[in-house]
Amino acid sequence: MKIAQKFATAVFIASTLGLAGCASTPTQESAGEYIDDAALTTKVKASIFNEPSLKSTEINVETFKGTVQLSGFVAQPADISRAGDIARGVKGVKQVKNDIRVK
């Protein structure tokens, strides 16, 4: 029983110290921000996928601290603006960097 208690204590201390290192910095997200950004990325991808005029497989979406970056290729110049507008319309998106290009 003592070994199990020592093991449980060691796991608790290690996990507590690990979480303490999860604070946000200008170049690194906290664990909570990472989860929020993953959810935003999923929502933006789904919104772009649901737009029939856009080929969602050629548009990449990445999110860092609420800022969405779009990249990839589209067929028409108007599609660049459309993808940016869709991303801006997703609740929780703070800013959009649109690096999509016409191929």
Side-chain angles (χ1 to χ4, degrees):
M1 196 90 163
K2 268 200 176 266
I3 293 174
Q5 286 177 329
K6 287 182 181 182
F7 179 73
T9 302
V11 169
F12 174 75
I13 290 171
S15 64
T16 302
L17 290 175
L19 288 176
C22 292
S24 176
T25 67
T27 59
Q28 186 175 0
E29 297 172 300
S30 69
E33 287 173 327
Y34 178 82
I35 292 169
D36 292 345
D37 285 346
L40 275 179
T41 297
T42 301
K43 289 178 186 177
V44 171
K45 284 182 178 182
S47 296
I48 289 173
F49 178 78
N50 289 328
E51 177 59 41
S53 66
L54 298 174
K55 290 185 180 179
S56 60
T57 58
E58 295 187 18
I59 298 174
N60 301 310
V61 180
E62 295 181 28
T63 308
F64 183 74
K65 294 188 175 191
T67 298
V68 173
Q69 181 169 347
L70 303 175
S71 61
F73 298 95
V74 293
Q76 306 294 325
D79 294 342
I80 296 171
S81 298
R82 183 68 187 131
D85 291 342
I86 290 170
R88 280 184 206 87
V90 173
K91 185 177 179 183
V93 172
K94 296 177 183 174
Q95 181 180 4
V96 175
K97 293 181 180 179
N98 195 340
D99 294 325
I100 297 174
R101 305 284 181 241
V102 176
K103 62 176 173 179

